[in-house]
Amino acid sequence: MKKQLSVGLAVMALAASLTACGGGSSTTTTTSAAAPATESPATTASASATSDSAMVDLKTASSSKGDIVVDSKGMSVYYFTKDVKDSGKSNCTGDCLVKWPPVIAATDTPKVEGVTGTVGTIDTPDGKKQVTVNGMPVYLWEKDKAPGDITGQGVGNVWYLVAPDGTMMK
């Protein structure tokens, strides 16, 4: 609590000193007001470019198994063979979803780069949009810790990587 109070007081002191420094002529005030406004669009454009590329839900990457589908962070994407194509639902529930979290999209039309399979979404029980490829829900594996990890391949003989064309890589 004391740390938060100290940070808050420091911010207020900084704001007060900046206000005092800018209080001279109207030219100085206009110049200092214009400088952040000039920087803001550049920062906003940079942030937009970053968020646009982050908006890609699925893309492709090379792995030791060949080209695969990965999420926006480069993490490998998997199919669950117990799911039924075009059923509109996931058969991975409960503890399964802890180990194999669904790939979630912000919209009904996920943005893709390099994925040629048919990409869509299904609704999760909590109202989110789980990404599908060729009518099959896709997931991440909790034990994949870095982009390029494919430790979920073949787990339990039911989890398999997704190829860019949407085929299951067995």
Side-chain angles (χ1 to χ4, degrees):
M1 185 66 160
K2 287 183 180 180
K3 186 176 183 178
Q4 290 175 339
L5 182 58
S6 297
V7 171
L9 290 174
V11 168
M12 287 176 39
L14 178 62
S17 62
L18 288 175
T19 302
C21 291
S25 72
S26 62
T27 308
T28 304
T29 303
T30 305
T31 304
S32 39
T38 304
E39 291 172 16
S40 271
T43 305
T44 304
S46 174
S48 293
T50 303
S51 62
D52 284 348
S53 59
M55 293 295 295
V56 172
D57 295 295
L58 295 179
K59 55 188 178 180
T60 60
S62 295
S63 77
S64 60
K65 299 285 184 192
D67 287 344
I68 60 171
V69 176
V70 297
D71 74 353
S72 62
K73 296 175 184 172
M75 301 304 290
S76 301
V77 171
Y78 299 89
Y79 281 134
F80 183 40
T81 61
K82 294 184 180 184
D83 284 332
V84 178
K85 182 178 177 171
D86 296 323
S87 70
K89 68 178 193 134
S90 165
N91 285 321
C92 179
T93 59
D95 191 44
C96 176
L97 287 174
V98 172
K99 294 177 182 176
W100 299 92
V103 176
I104 300 296
T107 68
D108 288 333
T109 54
K111 187 174 177 186
V112 299
E113 287 180 4
V115 179
T116 58
T118 304
V119 178
T121 62
I122 58 172
D123 292 327
T124 64
D126 61 355
K128 295 179 181 171
K129 302 290 181 189
Q130 182 173 4
V131 177
T132 61
V133 179
N134 288 354
M136 293 281 286
V138 293
Y139 308 84
L140 303 171
W141 171 227
E142 71 172 352
K143 293 186 180 178
D144 283 349
K145 299 298 181 191
D149 287 353
I150 56 170
T151 63
Q153 176 66 0
V155 169
N157 294 319
V158 294
W159 293 98
Y160 296 98
L161 291 163
V162 180
D165 67 356
T167 57
M168 188 178 297
M169 300 175 71
K170 287 195 170 183

